[in-house]
Amino acid sequence: MTFDLAPMLPLWLLAAVAAVVILGALYGLVRGARGMVWRALAVLMLLGWMAGPRSLHPVLRPVPQDALLIVDHSPSMQVGQRASLADQTANQITQDATHLPGLTLHRIDVPGGSGHGTRLFDAMDHADLPQGRFAGAIVVTDGMDHDVPSRLPTRFQGPNGQRLPLHLVLTAKGEETDRRLRILSTPPYAIVGQNATIRLQVDDLGTPAPATATLTVRAGDAPATTRTIQTGQPQDITVPVQHPGETLVGLSVSALPGEASTLNNNDVIRIRGVRDRLRVLLVSGVPNQSERVWRRLLKADPSVDLVHFTILRSPSTDDGTPLSDLALIPFPIRELFQEKIRSFDLIILDGFRNSNILPEEYLTNIADYVRRGGGLLVTAGPEFVQDGSLQDTTLAQVFPAHVPTDGLVSQAFRPVLTDLGKAHPVTAGLGNSNDWGPWYRSAKVDQSHGQNLMNGPNGSPLLLLDRVDQGRVAMLLSDQLWLWSRNEGGGGPQAELLRRLSHWLMKEPDLEENRLSARIENGQLLVDRHALGQTAITPQAIVTLPDGHTQPITMTGGKGLWHGSMPVTGGGIWTIRQDGLVAFASPAAQDTLERQDLRATATIMGATAKASGGSQNWAGIGIPHLRQVTAGQDLSGSGWIGLPVSQAAVAGETRTQDLVPAWLALVLALIFLGVGWWREGR
């Protein structure tokens, strides 16, 4: 502020008149004239007014400013009416901002989720604003943010050291409560026939004291069980794993009265059942290339416990070898094929010619082992057309094919998948058989049954699968598979084929040709029914919803594969049944970070807002209006929130103000004249 004069008369004239008045007043004072001084003061007052003293003030106008409006659209905002309330709040604040001069409000919608939680401050940091024009931020949220800084970000420090406000507008009527189910630990897999232990905890958030809750556990198709637990304390529960493959365990806890949401009151755990050390017995004939392939494959699998014996020579061979050199250890025939045969999951006979090595009694035990649920894999080479082959024993009763004495074919050929093989889980997806390398020897059959997945020369069966009572048998009618491991002619998928073949014989659920599977993707329950060799199935599958209600689903398709779908919402376990088969499905795990706490609360972001000088408001009670305030004033009040306005002087423009208004000069002059008259009258 500066001072200036705007005289009505020349200053020299006013000064001269003032000098005369002052001299007259002094003369009157010397002569004792009463009231003279007061009359002089009245005249001087009028002269001072006529000199026009005034103050000059710069003209201030608001400078352009930018503010942020951060709107939370994370998954937790879908609880209740939060999303609609957030949109109402954002629209009102945006409308208020259009009436504030110089203010540009930038709206940023933050989606959240995707496993990273809600990151509102990260959105602020990445906002592109002009330098030096930031006025503050308004955050419309439920308060659940996962990147709250430990101290106020530097963006909220103004150029003059003042704080810039961060206002919270919370989409609720006040602090809420929430009960959540937390999985502390769970095993990714468990041994079939044993129990898996799950450690969990139920927390009541926003409540003053712990309470009791009811926990419901449902594992697979077993009836649900309930137990009473104490909130705030870890709990261990055990569930049985009864079959190989995935087991879904549904967990749910009773609701807390008045809680914000029950979405985090339940969860689904996936535990894969595995067999404990699959035991495989591999018996090889004379040493051959296939033997090395089998050993490499089975030894590379840590879940397989391999027992391998190779018959170096038959008992009838007479080559002068000393008896002490015939074997390192005695061949434990009785132990393997009578006492412990039931302990094996799979028996592989690779190039094995009996020649009285195994008594008929033990070969009968192998056949009985298959009928009672065991798996048997046989590879047929030259030994099958020789005297004393396995076809001449009781074991032939479980073979899916018979090779005649002239059945050995020596010619180059490429294995080809049959139509059934292209769809069967054991061979489907192994690639284009036209790209596979050749084999040079196979065994043709004069009779066969079961499922033929691959053809050899002249369309003869090459890979046969068959079920025998409760067990399974696979027969590979060639001993040339090892050529693929040597990349002969480009090689082939020998490792994957043998892996699938072995696991099908050991009843791996994912390789069953008659199976029911289900999954949930994008809000749709997708059901697949594989039924190779069947032309028709039950046209509908029955779906049991998580709440216990049932609903049919129509299956369409053919040629061994049918599909069905239906829309689903929410979480839990859906159970699907068809023709005695059962499948389970559950939605993929949602963003666990977002589901940890579903309250609307100011406890997480409130301290940061307070540190900035901002406020916290509950939109469910009333949406605050936005206004601008000058520096030093309150930044919030009843029903409103404020942003500090920044002003700058306009070059070449000033605002004037008279220091002595005319009315004041007149009043003072009259007063002085009145006092002078009064003094003269005495």
Side-chain angles (χ1 to χ4, degrees), residues 557-571:
K559 295 183 179 181
L561 183 60
W562 287 264
H563 306 280
S565 65
M566 61 178 282
V568 296
T569 58

Side-chain angles (χ1 to χ4, degrees), residues 135-463:
I138 303 102
V139 181
V140 182
T141 177
D142 56 6
M144 281 300 153
D145 183 65
H146 302 96
D147 67 343
V148 179
S150 57
R151 58 183 180 179
L152 191 66
T154 55
R155 183 189 287 269
F156 291 90
Q157 299 292 338
N160 298 323
Q162 79 275 21
R163 295 176 300 176
L164 300 176
L166 170 65
H167 295 292
L168 286 183
V169 184
L170 299 157
T171 53
K173 295 182 178 180
E175 292 287 342
E176 296 179 339
T177 59
D178 183 41
R179 172 172 286 174
R180 68 178 178 188
L181 172 65
R182 278 195 303 150
I183 306 301
L184 302 180
S185 65
T186 181
Y189 61 88
I191 304 301
V192 174
Q194 299 184 9
N195 291 333
T197 300
I198 301 172
R199 191 171 182 82
L200 56 85
Q201 181 172 318
V202 177
D203 300 315
D204 286 344
L205 306 172
T207 59
T212 58
T214 301
L215 178 68
T216 302
V217 182
R218 175 190 169 193
D221 206 23
T225 61
T226 60
R227 60 187 294 185
T228 301
I229 63 172
Q230 188 78 15
T231 63
Q233 298 180 4
Q235 308 284 331
D236 289 331
I237 62 171
T238 58
V239 294
V241 178
Q242 300 175 340
H243 58 81
E246 190 174 69
T247 295
L248 298 183
V249 181
L251 304 170
S252 62
V253 64
S254 56
L256 175 68
E259 69 172 316
S261 174
T262 59
L263 288 176
N264 54 359
N265 289 32
N266 53 76
D267 207 343
V268 176
I269 306 300
R270 302 171 188 268
I271 302 176
R272 178 162 291 276
V274 297
R275 291 187 176 93
D276 183 17
R277 300 294 295 176
L278 299 173
R279 300 198 69 207
V280 177
L281 173 61
L282 172 60
V283 181
S284 301
V286 295
N288 59 80
Q289 297 289 348
S290 296
E291 176 183 357
R292 183 175 300 176
V293 172
W294 278 113
R295 283 190 58 85
R296 185 185 302 117
L297 173 70
L298 298 173
K299 295 295 287 187
D301 191 340
S303 64
V304 171
D305 189 1
L306 175 64
V307 178
H308 182 201
F309 285 93
T310 299
I311 309 301
L312 298 178
R313 64 195 293 278
S314 66
S316 60
T317 301
D318 185 9
D319 55 8
T321 304
L323 294 177
S324 60
D325 296 339
L326 289 181
L328 298 177
I329 59 173
F331 191 12
I333 297 176
R334 178 179 178 81
E335 181 180 4
L336 292 178
F337 297 104
Q338 181 165 325
E339 297 177 359
K340 296 185 177 182
I341 189 171
R342 296 293 303 163
S343 67
F344 292 104
D345 299 287
L346 173 64
I347 296 177
I348 301 174
L349 301 178
D350 177 40
F352 176 60
R353 177 173 174 240
N354 189 39
S355 299
N356 299 320
I357 295 175
L358 295 181
E360 192 72 16
E361 174 187 0
Y362 296 148
L363 294 172
T364 301
N365 289 344
I366 297 177
D368 292 340
Y369 156 82
V370 172
R371 295 187 180 97
R372 295 175 183 176
L376 175 64
L377 173 59
V378 180
T379 61
E383 72 283 351
F384 259 66
V385 297
Q386 298 174 358
D387 293 336
S389 73
L390 293 176
Q391 292 186 129
D392 300 327
T393 67
T394 55
L395 189 56
Q397 299 172 5
V398 299
F399 286 173
H402 180 268
V403 179
T405 55
D406 60 346
L408 193 64
V409 178
S410 297
Q411 69 178 65
F413 69 94
R414 293 181 183 271
V416 177
L417 291 177
T418 64
D419 290 340
L420 178 61
K422 294 176 181 178
H424 198 284
V426 171
T427 49
L430 288 180
N432 188 352
S433 56
N434 294 328
D435 299 330
W436 296 347
W439 296 355
Y440 300 99
R441 185 166 59 202
S442 68
K444 68 178 182 179
V445 300
D446 54 8
Q447 59 181 13
S448 65
H449 55 273
Q451 298 174 320
N452 180 27
L453 306 187
M454 296 172 62
N455 280 337
N458 303 317
S460 61
L462 184 63
L463 177 60

Side-chain angles (χ1 to χ4, degrees), residues 592-608:
T592 55
L593 192 58
E594 283 285 343
R595 295 180 59 190
Q596 281 186 358
D597 194 344
L598 295 175
R599 295 176 296 161
T601 178
T603 57
I604 296 176
M605 301 181 66
T608 304

